[in-house]
Amino acid sequence: MEITTVSSAKLLLAVLVPLFGALGVMFMGKNENIRESISSIASIILFILVLSLVPAVLSGKTLVYHMFSILPGVSVTLRADAMSMIFAIVASSLWTIAVFYSMGYMRAHNEPAQTRFNACFALSIFGAIGVAFSDNLFTLYLFYEIVSVCTYPLVAHNQDKEGYSGARKYIVYLTTTAKAFLLPAMILIYVLTGTLDFAPNISTGIFPPDVNKGLVIMLYIFCLFGFAKNGVMPFHHWLPGAMVAPTPVSALLHAVAVVKVGVFCTTRVMLYVFGVDTMHALNLGIPTAYFVGFTVLMASILALSKDNLKERLAYSTVSQLSYIIMGVALLTPAGIDGGLIHIVNHGFSKITLFFCAGAIYIAAHKKNISEMGGLGKTMPFTFGAFAIASLSMIGAPPVAGFITKWNLLVGSIQAHQMGILLILIASTMLNVGYFAPVTIKAFFGKRPEGESYQGIKEAPLSMLIPILIACTISVIIGIFPNFMMQFVKAVTG
Amino acid sequence: MDQLLIHPDYPRILSTLIFLPLAGALVLLFVKKESFARFWALGVTILTALLSLPLVSNFDTTTAKFQFAEQSMWIKSLNIQYVLGIDGISILLVMLTTMIMPLCVLASWNYIKTRVQPFMICLLIMETAMLGVFMALDFVLFYILWEAMLIPMYLLIGIWGGPRRIYASIKFFLYTLGGSVMLLVGIIWLYNANGGSFFIPDMMWKEYTMAAQTMLFIAFFLAFAIKVPMFPFHTWLPAAHVEAPTAGSVILASVLLKMGTYGFLRFALPITPEATLLFMPFVLWLSIAGIIYGGFTALAQQDMKKLIAYSSVGHMGFVTLGIFVMNVQGIEGAILQMVNHGITTGALFLCVGMIYERTHSRELRSASGVGKHMPIFVTFLAFFSLSSFGFPGTNSFVGEFLILAGAFEYSTTLALAAIPGAVLAAAYMLRMLQKIVWGGTDNPDQSWISDLNLREIAILAPLLFFVFWIGLGPQPFLDLIHTSVVALLDQFNSYHGQTVATAELIFH
């Protein structure tokens, strides 16, 4: 497909909308109705703006917007291509849903410091959209770091001992890995190639052919670990640690922004800095797939052992994120398709699960799975949505996750990797093992002794409706995957 | 004297800049009123800053010669001349000095309550001496001004400082004086070797013997390494910073520390190129030691001023690293980083001073959680802290990026050894920021603390502006220094008859 580059100020606007949303929230913080209408209007404008880019990108154009020149070959430049759109659509649509949900959650729970919460939430989206629309490694790094810093106040939201220690772990892991691995990698790539711009397609990469192979392998490893938001073991501890935050924050971390920024950056760099050809030539793909395969299995096993619902979901996220990297690392068309589409599928399903966990906490004040026996009858919609989203995680048709699993399985066969196939099958079993008991317990389990669930009803509508919307979308993109799949296909060509 | 370029429109601009603050100080000798002294000093420093603007707008970026030059005989019998001129290496430092001084006066507005006139006199004399050091092209003139800086600085710390001010000021004085005694010997040797001339450009790129160069380099190194300060000559710095009043700390951090690195670029490289090459690995690894040592020590501090002082040791380690990798990116990054450090660390000291004026404590613990009551203040502090550890989009990132790119070009091992310093910088700055903005669950009661007033916002706002200007559009700044750096390296390489590459690049 012929790629033409067009300059478009819409990109700038898309990045600025959440930023100005955050500023508006900060200055209008006194009045909560005005404050929250600013958040929601900003989120809707952003979603419409992102959608308005769809026709141009689908017609094969790459939109760019140049902002600042730092040094020759280093600039702050935005670009929207097929891969950006995958993440931008997910982040902007989930922000819209999350804004309404957090409004309900934060009010129902009488959370303090809601202004700061809303402002930082919007700033994190600013970072995520910036990451999605980055045209080069420097811009990517800039917005990646913005996300790290702006989510710190969200993780430490409760301002108690656990909050501070969880948040410290969070920021220490993320900034240390970024400074220790990404910074030198980025500078070395600049020294080697004279530019930090992404390649125009996924095959060539940006390295000259006569480059030192050992050095490129080192850079690749640095990038894999540098984007520690991707949750690849051994740098995943920050994610369960960040579970101390309120549930909307967990949703932001796990579905909308943080971890998705991590995997998006990782895969973006794998495909557009190193490129499929270089990765083949240096034999980087399959070892990566097996390496993250360990995370897939290990995190699932850890999830089995957690009784706290949010912790179980956290380990599930660690495991599912590695699907995305694994798929891309297979370097086969179906593998890359499966990996990239999972950014979408996991986003919608995981946000449903976290929203449900939050709704259960607000309505019934329950955090542990063992205390939820029979609760499904009292909160049928919440647990129904939870069940459907679980199916997506497991990869059962017709929910979104099935599309991922299918492509990943095909990808592993294309790559002749029976080991990966076995890992996928084993992880599916494990997924069933830790998700099914939640639903079964809720609908068919016995009530804990002395528990009557009296006075417990479904969470407020402002929370329930976002749950149902996110859940419905999970099903729709499972049955009609083509809308999002066309961007993925445009990436793989 | 073809190294000098005399600008026809501004024949005496450098002298004007040097003598204006001095004249302002003289007027203050006859003034009794304290409020007049404040406004007068502010007016003089602002006027100096405004008058320095034509230096940038009329600077010729195509030549490496010394511009806006002035030359006249001073002491005929010894052939000591009064020669001034600036090139790409010094212009940004001159501008930094003229821009930072009004902010120092503003920061002392309420902080200095006793002996206001003498304080302002010291500040103004300080400005004269600092500008003179960056402009002087005669070695005796340079040396006189270099030593002249010590006296007002000594008084600033010794009179208006904290409880241990006498100890700190004497330590500062002895360290820097001790270092520069050797420099004087070197100057006199150079005077004889050059047929009785102190003219600095004439001394450069001469074929001195290796032994002479080695001795000279050691003399230069002692004088400048103490001033930078390089590890292990840094111990005077935390003491001086902790005891100095805010304005003193800012001058110290923003301008005085740059004298050492400026000295390396102006004297050590062109006068002793062969010895520079000999000592290069030694200085580079010493820089790495400073980067790591400064980082770890800063991480352990409870005193905010000490924390920033040790962070300066680390940051200046990056600057010497950039200078001694001997390539364009490294040296350009180093010069830019000198300016960045002046802006960011100066701003951080100003911020600490603002907390100190409120809580009368420099302890991190007593400042924990002030963010709740000072939202404007912590917004500034957050940006300056981010800048300090090289957050992308801020000024320090560009400097560090260039320095590390230069270091990677020189040796991957060396550059990777500096990376822990960048990690540590993030750790100690975020630790400080977290403590000040949020604190913990047992913050002291600070509900009586007031947020910044307009004067304080006016101090910090211009610095924040430069943080982002250099961070997002550094090209105009780099253009100013580029030609001089390229010329310096060209001459350095042609002196050795080859491109410097003592350590083979491990790639290509």
mmCIF file of all heavy atoms in Angstrom, chain A residues 423-436:
data_model
loop_
_atom_site.group_PDB
_atom_site.id
_atom_site.type_symbol
_atom_site.label_atom_id
_atom_site.label_comp_id
_atom_site.label_asym_id
_atom_site.label_seq_id
_atom_site.Cartn_x
_atom_site.Cartn_y
_atom_site.Cartn_z
ATOM 1 N N ILE A 423 2.307 -23.541 25.577
ATOM 2 C CA ILE A 423 2.186 -22.475 26.590
ATOM 3 C C ILE A 423 0.802 -21.838 26.519
ATOM 4 O O ILE A 423 0.147 -21.612 27.539
ATOM 5 C CB ILE A 423 3.277 -21.405 26.394
ATOM 6 C CG1 ILE A 423 4.645 -21.967 26.750
ATOM 7 C CG2 ILE A 423 2.989 -20.157 27.238
ATOM 8 C CD1 ILE A 423 5.803 -21.031 26.495
ATOM 9 N N LEU A 424 0.332 -21.592 25.290
ATOM 10 C CA LEU A 424 -0.977 -20.969 25.121
ATOM 11 C C LEU A 424 -2.080 -21.859 25.670
ATOM 12 O O LEU A 424 -3.002 -21.387 26.349
ATOM 13 C CB LEU A 424 -1.225 -20.664 23.643
ATOM 14 C CG LEU A 424 -0.426 -19.481 23.076
ATOM 15 C CD1 LEU A 424 -0.531 -19.453 21.562
ATOM 16 C CD2 LEU A 424 -0.943 -18.177 23.662
ATOM 17 N N ILE A 425 -1.976 -23.145 25.380
ATOM 18 C CA ILE A 425 -3.009 -24.058 25.863
ATOM 19 C C ILE A 425 -2.978 -24.126 27.399
ATOM 20 O O ILE A 425 -4.006 -24.009 28.069
ATOM 21 C CB ILE A 425 -2.818 -25.460 25.241
ATOM 22 C CG1 ILE A 425 -3.097 -25.372 23.737
ATOM 23 C CG2 ILE A 425 -3.737 -26.481 25.903
ATOM 24 C CD1 ILE A 425 -2.711 -26.598 22.964
ATOM 25 N N ALA A 426 -1.773 -24.268 27.926
ATOM 26 C CA ALA A 426 -1.644 -24.353 29.387
ATOM 27 C C ALA A 426 -2.184 -23.093 30.036
ATOM 28 O O ALA A 426 -2.884 -23.147 31.066
ATOM 29 C CB ALA A 426 -0.182 -24.564 29.762
ATOM 30 N N SER A 427 -1.869 -21.941 29.442
ATOM 31 C CA SER A 427 -2.311 -20.699 30.072
ATOM 32 C C SER A 427 -3.825 -20.562 29.992
ATOM 33 O O SER A 427 -4.457 -20.025 30.896
ATOM 34 C CB SER A 427 -1.592 -19.518 29.429
ATOM 35 O OG SER A 427 -2.463 -18.783 28.624
ATOM 36 N N THR A 428 -4.427 -21.090 28.917
ATOM 37 C CA THR A 428 -5.888 -21.057 28.828
ATOM 38 C C THR A 428 -6.514 -21.869 29.964
ATOM 39 O O THR A 428 -7.473 -21.434 30.604
ATOM 40 C CB THR A 428 -6.343 -21.608 27.473
ATOM 41 O OG1 THR A 428 -5.681 -20.872 26.457
ATOM 42 C CG2 THR A 428 -7.843 -21.490 27.306
ATOM 43 N N MET A 429 -5.927 -23.035 30.214
ATOM 44 C CA MET A 429 -6.419 -23.847 31.341
ATOM 45 C C MET A 429 -6.309 -23.069 32.646
ATOM 46 O O MET A 429 -7.217 -23.063 33.469
ATOM 47 C CB MET A 429 -5.562 -25.119 31.497
ATOM 48 C CG MET A 429 -5.371 -25.876 30.222
ATOM 49 S SD MET A 429 -6.809 -26.833 29.864
ATOM 50 C CE MET A 429 -6.068 -28.322 29.262
ATOM 51 N N LEU A 430 -5.141 -22.427 32.817
ATOM 52 C CA LEU A 430 -4.938 -21.677 34.054
ATOM 53 C C LEU A 430 -5.938 -20.527 34.149
ATOM 54 O O LEU A 430 -6.467 -20.241 35.223
ATOM 55 C CB LEU A 430 -3.508 -21.139 34.106
ATOM 56 C CG LEU A 430 -2.434 -22.180 34.398
ATOM 57 C CD1 LEU A 430 -1.050 -21.650 34.057
ATOM 58 C CD2 LEU A 430 -2.490 -22.595 35.867
ATOM 59 N N ASN A 431 -6.210 -19.877 33.008
ATOM 60 C CA ASN A 431 -7.192 -18.801 33.014
ATOM 61 C C ASN A 431 -8.535 -19.304 33.517
ATOM 62 O O ASN A 431 -9.189 -18.664 34.341
ATOM 63 C CB ASN A 431 -7.387 -18.232 31.604
ATOM 64 C CG ASN A 431 -6.192 -17.418 31.149
ATOM 65 O OD1 ASN A 431 -5.380 -17.000 31.962
ATOM 66 N ND2 ASN A 431 -6.070 -17.218 29.859
ATOM 67 N N VAL A 432 -8.930 -20.442 32.985
ATOM 68 C CA VAL A 432 -10.187 -21.052 33.457
ATOM 69 C C VAL A 432 -10.077 -21.293 34.959
ATOM 70 O O VAL A 432 -10.983 -20.986 35.725
ATOM 71 C CB VAL A 432 -10.470 -22.378 32.715
ATOM 72 C CG1 VAL A 432 -11.710 -23.046 33.287
ATOM 73 C CG2 VAL A 432 -10.624 -22.126 31.234
ATOM 74 N N GLY A 433 -8.924 -21.781 35.367
ATOM 75 C CA GLY A 433 -8.714 -22.146 36.762
ATOM 76 C C GLY A 433 -8.875 -20.988 37.717
ATOM 77 O O GLY A 433 -9.350 -21.146 38.829
ATOM 78 N N TYR A 434 -8.451 -19.805 37.317
ATOM 79 C CA TYR A 434 -8.593 -18.712 38.292
ATOM 80 C C TYR A 434 -9.772 -17.795 38.026
ATOM 81 O O TYR A 434 -10.171 -17.041 38.893
ATOM 82 C CB TYR A 434 -7.289 -17.925 38.487
ATOM 83 C CG TYR A 434 -6.715 -17.159 37.311
ATOM 84 C CD1 TYR A 434 -7.217 -15.915 36.949
ATOM 85 C CD2 TYR A 434 -5.649 -17.672 36.584
ATOM 86 C CE1 TYR A 434 -6.670 -15.211 35.901
ATOM 87 C CE2 TYR A 434 -5.094 -16.975 35.527
ATOM 88 C CZ TYR A 434 -5.606 -15.738 35.190
ATOM 89 O OH TYR A 434 -5.079 -15.054 34.164
ATOM 90 N N PHE A 435 -10.374 -17.842 36.828
ATOM 91 C CA PHE A 435 -11.542 -16.984 36.596
ATOM 92 C C PHE A 435 -12.858 -17.690 36.896
ATOM 93 O O PHE A 435 -13.766 -17.108 37.480
ATOM 94 C CB PHE A 435 -11.559 -16.468 35.153
ATOM 95 C CG PHE A 435 -10.803 -15.190 35.004
ATOM 96 C CD1 PHE A 435 -9.739 -15.078 34.132
ATOM 97 C CD2 PHE A 435 -11.161 -14.068 35.752
ATOM 98 C CE1 PHE A 435 -9.032 -13.889 34.013
ATOM 99 C CE2 PHE A 435 -10.463 -12.888 35.631
ATOM 100 C CZ PHE A 435 -9.399 -12.794 34.756
ATOM 101 N N ALA A 436 -12.950 -18.961 36.490
ATOM 102 C CA ALA A 436 -14.225 -19.663 36.636
ATOM 103 C C ALA A 436 -14.714 -19.706 38.094
ATOM 104 O O ALA A 436 -15.892 -19.477 38.344
ATOM 105 C CB ALA A 436 -14.115 -21.060 36.036
#
